[in-house]
Amino acid sequence: MRFIMQAAINMAVFLACALLFPNGFVLANMMTALVAAVLLALLNRLIKPILVFVSLPLVIISLGFFLLIINTALLELTAHIIHGFAFASFGWAMLVAILLTVANFLFMGQTKISVRR
């Protein structure tokens, strides 16, 4: 269920960024956004933990900033795999990575639903 939610949030951010930043972020259509969102969610599940483990000293020294670089690199990898999904520069990819991080924090941050009686 978390995978589907993460892919849906990714797709929504991709669509919003394509409308807000037409010069820096290219998105061909909604199907491309869906495929890119699912691929990014899959890369985040499979490759990101390995990258974080390998780069743990850099993550600690940079106080977590290097995690943003890892997220941006995974976005760039997604852009290289999916046709019709591209960034004008690494800076645009970093901006989208920041927006993805904020959106995932806001919508996926709460892991438990508390019931008050």
Side-chain angles (χ1 to χ4, degrees), residues 68-112:
L68 181 61
I69 304 299
I70 292 173
N71 288 342
T72 305
L74 289 175
L75 264 176
E76 286 284 353
L77 179 62
T78 303
H80 285 295
I81 294 172
I82 304 294
H83 297 289
F85 181 82
F87 299 99
S89 67
F90 190 78
W92 285 107
M94 186 172 283
L95 177 64
V96 174
I98 291 169
L99 294 175
L100 278 170
T101 302
V102 170
N104 279 312
F105 176 75
L106 290 175
F107 296 111
M108 299 283 289
Q110 187 176 3
T111 57
K112 294 181 182 178

Side-chain angles (χ1 to χ4, degrees), residues 27-41:
L27 186 62
N29 54 33
M30 289 184 71
M31 186 56 101
T32 304
L34 176 64
V35 172
V38 169
L39 179 64
L40 182 63

Side-chain angles (χ1 to χ4, degrees), residues 6 9 55 59 67 83 87 97 115:
Q6 187 178 14
I9 292 169
S55 64
V59 171
L67 291 173
H83 297 289
F87 299 99
V115 178

Side-chain angles (χ1 to χ4, degrees), residues 10-57:
N10 290 348
M11 183 178 173
V13 171
F14 292 157
L15 292 172
C17 287
L19 290 174
L20 293 173
F21 313 118
N23 294 330
F25 179 57
V26 177
L27 186 62
N29 54 33
M30 289 184 71
M31 186 56 101
T32 304
L34 176 64
V35 172
V38 169
L39 179 64
L40 182 63
L42 191 65
L43 290 174
N44 280 334
R45 293 284 174 147
L46 299 176
I47 296 177
K48 188 176 180 180
I50 297 167
L51 292 175
V52 170
F53 180 74
V54 169
S55 64
L56 194 58

